[in-house]
Amino acid sequence: MKVSPENIIELSERPPRLGEQAPALGRRALVVGCLLLIAGLGLGFSGHHGLAHVLHAWLVGATFVLSIALGGLFFVILQHLTAAGWSVVLRRQAEMLASLIPWAAALFLPLVVVTLLGHAELYPWADHAWAAADPVVSKKIGYLNGIFFTIRMALYFVVWYELTRWFVRNSVAQDRDGDPQRTVRMRRSAAPGMLVFALTSTFFAFDALMSLDPHWFSTIFGVYFFAGCAVAVFSTLILGSLALERGPLQRIVTVEHYHDLGKWLFGMVFFWGYIAFSQYVLIWYADIPEETIWYKHRLHGGWQYVSALLLFGHLLVPFAGLLSRHVKRNRAALGFWAVYMLVLHLADLLWLVNPTIGGHGESEGMVFGLTDLLLWLGLAVTSFGVFILRAQNQPLIPARDPRLDESLGFENQ
Amino acid sequence: MSETRTFGIVAEYGDVDSVMAAARRIRDAGYRRWDVHTPFPVHGMDDAMGVRPTILPWITLGAGLSGLGLSILLQWWTNAHDYAFLISGKPLFSLPANIPVAFESTILFAAVTTFLLVFVLNGLPRFYHPLFRMAKFKKATDDRFFVAIEARDEKFDPGATRKLLESTGAASVEICEEPLDGQVLPGWVKFVGVLGITLAMIPLVVAYRARNAKTDTPRLHLVGDMDFQPKYKTQAASPLFADGRAMRPQVDGTIARGELRENQHLELGTVDGNFADGFPVAVTRELMERGRNRFDIYCSVCHGYGGQGDGPVALRAKELGEGAFVAPTDLTDDYVKKQPAGQIYATIRNGIRTMPSYAAQIPVADRWAIVLYLRALQRHSDASIADVPLEKREEIK
């Protein structure tokens, strides 16, 4: 099922695009998503934990969307960094995922504003009086305060936006002019880009997720968050390719690409486990109360089941499930694992965020319910809508990338 | 020229497509012992040749799992069973601590097995192959493609096989001969091999001998200036001084810094050679608090926060139940209660029987603070309602 040279020329002249029904689908997703959000907000505010629960659930949902977008950015930079040929037909999908970053910024805006206004339901350090009185947090006020937090958040999103824009703009422009120099330029900027990405995503994880419990710290936390992003984006790319292969990307995405995406997903699942365990074992070994408290919250009051779910469901089971080459080359099986990993990724974020609902970094046991599900679903579905509406503007593959034929004819040895 | 026999029939092709087509036909004709030689990897050739999937992944999986199991067994055996050794107060057999080693061994076993098996399954190392006798075959590393069907294949038939190959559009078809004695290793290779193995045994033999023989000669010192440092150890002799001692006694009529023990009550806890009752320092609330703080840090691990001899060290020792252990004294016992303050002070300073001295860790003032706090603990141990001030009695009802 090779694509012949003539086909490649035709591809680059009339590259595949989303079908006619796409805008309608996108708009419908937006409407459904908004309804879900309204329901979730209504339920959340009337619930026992009110604003605190809504903010935490929102943080999980927004981080979920952002993690896919960041994963997309990572994927794009990585392909340029390594001058990868196999992935060219997938790269545009990742570019479009990364283009969700401004939208993700909008999702984080309410959280930042609430914190800036001094509401401490989400980030306890936003309560100045409490922070100043706390012997540990008082030392961190210079970093953990509303204004500096807002500045940093703005910085992360601006940096990510600029990175994305640079890679996407060049890639889309190449669709028109076919200038191979663009590929060279993107490769040159990939290394510094990766460095900036690593630093910003690490500090984002510190600020947005780790500071939920401002006493606690773990230097590997940024990598942990990144591992989640990687798991999320490879799952999403698998699902995106499966969906598009039924239409415009037919005979462009092949089983060989799934095989490679599957390898990545498998690798990242294990990487996540490796990092999660690295964090755990050091804290377990040292056994210092100021560090173990974080796991204590997550091993009591119902959270211990989520912890066990992550150990088995996010690591051991998918490790065994994705190990075989046959699974990676089987569309249905790989699709199942992609959906599965996205669900478990949500569980991971839930596990990071919700145990701090008790306020001031304390746990109140298992706070989780329909509110969370409605808000997550609402955020995911609206984001899907935005994604579709933006994606229809460009071709679905970088049609004049110099390595396109390599990617089309790619075969695993 | 020595005698030869037919190794197989070799066909030569000029391009990928024709060799692929030929491979498919030979596969369909049912041959098993044949191979294709190309200057570069050709995608889809496995399929065209009908190469069956290798069992290597399964062996790798098995090796990985063995590494996992064995390493956990090893850690359990060494640390929890054969020589139970408590580390950082963790359980003797605790999975989190074992995982790094288990993880590494899984990979080690899987990787080394795979690496070696790739050679074995490919029939390597191999010093000789009959195809190399054909001058033409050198082009397999350049721009020609070859198919070789071996004579040991069950379907091999000189005439029919040749015809089959000719019908696949081969540029040439030739018979490849191999010498009957071609598989024999040259003598010098055997010699080098035996020599190498013999030499490799020498260190083992030397080590074995050294472990099982007695000797008068001192061992080799590889890093001499670490083993023999130019310095005197405590109690060592020195020819430099008339009395032959390297340690110098205090010069008469002098006192070393920090060793002026003018106030015996304060420094030694004694007055005129007897343990003193009462405190040589002002008894204040701060001193009491300081005492609690120091006691909790230094003494509670053994004697317990309440002083009753039930600290974690004592409890753990009791659990292990090893005979020689002397339990820490219950400090609220009458026997200690009756001791004058100076005696308890002296216990901290000098240690007593199995309890070591704490003089090095705890300075004089803190020792008295601890004694004071200990007095409070003792008082507390048999307190009655009469000890509670009237206005506070309501609170504790």
Side-chain angles (χ1 to χ4, degrees):
Chain A
M1 240 194 348
K2 287 268 174 57
V3 179
S4 64
E6 301 82 60
N7 286 353
I8 290 186
I9 293 174
E10 201 197 304
L11 259 187
S12 57
E13 274 163 7
R14 298 205 342 204
R17 288 172 174 274
L18 279 184
E20 316 255 281
Q21 22 3 350
L25 177 66
R27 277 193 297 273
R28 229 174 296 145
L30 273 184
V31 174
V32 173
C34 286
L35 290 178
L36 285 167
L37 283 183
I38 293 170
L41 288 175
L43 192 65
F45 278 116
S46 59
H48 173 50
H49 290 279
L51 179 61
H53 195 177
V54 169
L55 289 175
H56 281 76
W58 189 281
L59 177 62
V60 171
T63 308
F64 178 71
V65 173
L66 178 69
S67 68
I68 296 177
L70 282 183
L73 180 56
F74 162 71
F75 183 86
V76 171
I77 303 181
L78 184 70
Q79 305 317 309
H80 288 301
L81 186 67
T82 56
W86 71 276
S87 57
V88 171
V89 297
L90 304 170
R91 210 183 64 223
R92 182 55 51 78
Q93 287 182 58
E95 286 167 2
M96 293 183 306
L97 287 176
S99 305
L100 276 177
I101 279 170
W103 166 250
L107 296 185
F108 271 89
L109 193 63
L111 302 180
V112 175
V113 170
V114 166
T115 305
L116 192 60
L117 292 179
H119 290 280
E121 279 84 354
L122 188 58
Y123 299 111
W125 45 261
D127 177 349
H128 302 298
W130 175 80
D134 185 284
V136 173
V137 181
S138 58
K139 305 264 175 17
K140 304 186 182 180
I141 287 183
Y143 186 81
L144 290 180
N145 61 68
I147 295 177
F148 193 26
F149 174 77
T150 310
I151 295 176
R152 287 196 310 273
M153 281 297 188
L155 182 79
Y156 304 144
F157 279 101
V158 167
V159 167
W160 294 333
Y161 174 65
E162 286 301 327
L163 271 176
T164 310
R165 215 166 60 111
W166 161 255
F167 286 105
V168 175
R169 202 189 48 203
N170 266 304
S171 177
V172 172
Q174 199 178 43
D175 288 351
R176 272 176 266 112
D177 60 20
D179 180 3
Q181 276 307 312
R182 293 188 185 278
T183 302
V184 177
R185 276 204 294 275
M186 286 193 278
R187 191 185 65 219
R188 289 214 181 106
S189 44
M194 191 61 103
L195 209 67
V196 171
F197 170 81
L199 283 174
T200 44
S201 58
T202 300
F203 277 87
F204 170 82
F206 289 168
D207 291 352
L209 298 174
M210 200 165 88
S211 82
L212 287 168
D213 181 349
H215 290 128
W216 187 76
F217 56 91
S218 161
T219 44
I220 207 173
F221 193 82
V223 188
Y224 181 83
F225 170 67
F226 158 74
C229 294
V231 167
V233 79
F234 288 109
S235 304
T236 312
L237 284 178
I238 290 170
L239 294 178
S241 305
L242 283 172
L244 293 173
E245 198 193 355
R246 294 166 167 235
L249 291 193
Q250 198 177 12
R251 298 192 57 221
I252 293 176
V253 179
T254 69
V255 69
E256 305 294 336
H257 298 115
Y258 291 115
H259 189 177
D260 264 18
L261 284 173
K263 288 182 217 166
W264 264 108
L265 182 59
F266 172 71
M268 289 298 115
V269 162
F270 197 72
F271 179 67
W272 176 91
Y274 188 98
I275 298 302
F277 179 72
S278 302
Q279 176 173 290
Y280 177 77
V281 77
L282 292 195
I283 291 177
W284 174 83
Y285 231 119
D287 209 8
I288 303 173
E290 66 203 65
E291 294 178 349
T292 49
I293 182 80
W294 195 80
Y295 283 105
K296 186 173 174 250
H297 288 333
R298 284 158 184 78
L299 290 171
H300 287 96
W303 289 111
Q304 68 269 38
Y305 303 115
V306 184
S307 299
L309 175 73
L310 289 179
L311 171 62
F312 289 96
H314 200 302
L315 177 64
L316 301 178
V317 172
F319 178 85
L322 282 163
L323 189 59
S324 163
R325 166 190 173 96
H326 304 290
V327 172
K328 299 184 193 104
R329 293 177 78 87
N330 179 322
R331 289 175 174 77
L334 195 62
F336 163 77
W337 285 113
V339 174
Y340 173 92
M341 282 321 299
L342 282 178
V343 173
L344 265 289
H345 176 52
L346 264 172
D348 182 25
L349 294 175
L350 169 76
W351 181 80
L352 289 180
V353 171
N354 274 35
T356 58
I357 285 186
H360 300 319
E362 294 300 324
S363 180
E364 275 229 335
M366 187 85 189
V367 182
F368 169 65
L370 196 57
T371 307
D372 299 84
L373 295 179
L374 285 173
L375 285 178
W376 299 350
L377 213 56
L379 289 169
V381 173
T382 42
S383 304
F384 176 71
V386 172
F387 173 77
I388 294 282
L389 290 178
R390 301 198 45 158
Q392 58 171 329
N393 299 332
Q394 307 117 10
L396 292 171
I397 56 170
R400 293 173 80 177
D401 188 290
R403 284 188 294 259
L404 180 64
D405 61 338
E406 186 183 340
S407 181
L408 288 168
F410 168 67
E411 274 186 44
N412 284 283
Q413 282 295 342
Chain B
M1 231 1 239
S2 54
E3 253 184 284
T4 61
R5 64 164 171 243
T6 307
F7 166 72
I9 303 186
V10 179
E12 176 194 357
Y13 300 86
D15 59 282
V16 176
D17 290 343
S18 45
V19 77
M20 279 278 243
R24 281 195 200 100
R25 291 209 28 210
I26 299 166
R27 173 194 69 192
D28 295 343
Y31 286 93
R32 313 290 297 268
R33 300 206 163 268
W34 61 289
D35 210 346
V36 177
H37 306 269
T38 60
F40 48 80
V42 175
H43 286 310
M45 184 54 90
D46 294 19
D47 199 33
M49 288 178 65
V51 174
R52 274 164 305 141
T54 157
I55 57 158
L56 187 57
W58 289 105
I59 303 179
T60 302
L61 181 68
L65 291 177
S66 321
L68 182 74
L70 284 175
S71 64
I72 294 204
L73 193 66
L74 174 78
Q75 293 176 85
W76 166 80
W77 172 264
T78 52
N79 203 56
H81 183 78
D82 187 41
Y83 190 79
F85 193 62
L86 190 68
I87 299 170
S88 309
K90 303 295 180 199
L92 288 174
F93 180 58
S94 49
L95 268 186
N98 297 347
I99 283 183
V101 172
F103 171 69
E104 300 296 345
S105 329
T106 309
I107 293 177
L108 185 76
F109 275 57
V112 172
T113 309
T114 308
F115 179 78
L116 294 178
L117 272 187
V118 164
F119 282 86
V120 173
L121 295 182
N122 280 312
L124 295 173
R126 179 164 186 172
F127 302 106
Y128 162 82
H129 197 286
L131 282 179
F132 292 144
R133 286 161 52 91
M134 297 174 65
K136 255 190 195 166
F137 190 70
K138 290 197 177 112
K139 290 223 150 203
T141 61
D142 184 9
D143 60 351
R144 303 256 107 184
F145 305 80
F146 293 87
V147 170
I149 301 181
E150 293 179 27
R152 36 188 194 129
D153 193 300
E154 279 167 19
K155 302 206 89 187
F156 185 85
D157 170 85
T161 304
R162 182 177 196 113
K163 215 169 264 153
L164 173 71
L165 284 174
E166 273 164 357
S167 72
T168 57
S172 73
V173 177
E174 271 176 46
I175 292 185
C176 174
E177 297 286 323
E178 75 180 313
L180 281 177
D181 57 356
Q183 309 280 10
V184 182
L185 273 184
W188 67 268
V189 175
K190 281 184 197 157
F191 176 74
V192 170
V194 172
L195 188 72
I197 292 172
T198 317
L199 290 179
M201 301 295 249
I202 293 179
L204 290 177
V205 173
V206 171
Y208 181 81
R209 205 190 90 90
R211 288 183 67 94
N212 290 290
K214 290 197 173 122
T215 169
D216 295 337
T217 39
R219 64 187 177 90
L220 281 177
H221 289 278
L222 295 180
V223 193
D225 50 357
M226 281 282 274
D227 292 345
F228 307 106
Q229 296 172 11
K231 70 176 184 196
Y232 285 115
K233 294 201 173 146
T234 334
Q235 312 285 2
S238 165
L240 199 61
F241 299 103
D243 63 359
R245 297 194 285 174
M247 267 167 83
R248 304 316 302 148
Q250 213 145 325
V251 176
D252 280 344
T254 62
I255 293 172
R257 274 173 190 257
E259 290 191 0
L260 176 63
R261 305 233 160 76
E262 234 179 356
N263 183 342
Q264 293 220 333
H265 188 180
L266 179 72
E267 298 281 351
L268 306 175
T270 56
V271 173
D272 305 329
N274 297 319
F275 288 127
D277 218 347
F279 287 78
V281 290
V283 172
T284 61
R285 182 149 200 101
E286 284 81 61
L287 193 70
M288 182 71 90
E289 286 300 331
R290 177 74 182 165
R292 176 214 292 272
N293 173 278
R294 297 291 104 176
F295 182 89
D296 287 355
I297 291 174
Y298 288 112
C299 319
S300 67
V301 278
C302 294
H303 289 284
Y305 285 112
Q308 271 134 344
D310 54 355
V313 171
L315 294 183
R316 175 85 190 153
K318 208 163 117 194
E319 197 182 304
L320 290 179
E322 283 165 5
F325 183 76
V326 178
T329 312
D330 177 356
L331 301 179
T332 60
D333 194 83
D334 266 356
Y335 156 69
V336 184
K337 266 186 206 160
K338 287 200 198 104
Q339 293 181 357
Q343 187 176 352
I344 299 180
Y345 172 90
T347 302
I348 302 177
R349 180 176 185 271
N350 309 327
I352 188 154
R353 299 183 298 274
T354 47
M355 173 181 148
S357 156
Y358 279 83
Q361 291 100 311
I362 309 177
V364 171
D366 284 348
R367 292 178 213 158
W368 284 109
I370 292 177
V371 176
L372 178 62
Y373 178 64
L374 202 57
R375 284 286 188 237
L377 282 181
Q378 294 173 338
R379 183 77 203 285
H380 173 260
S381 72
D382 56 5
S384 71
I385 193 74
D387 292 308
V388 182
L390 276 175
E391 66 274 20
K392 296 248 174 185
R393 281 188 198 173
E394 264 315 300
E395 282 178 30
I396 59 171
K397 263 191 183 156

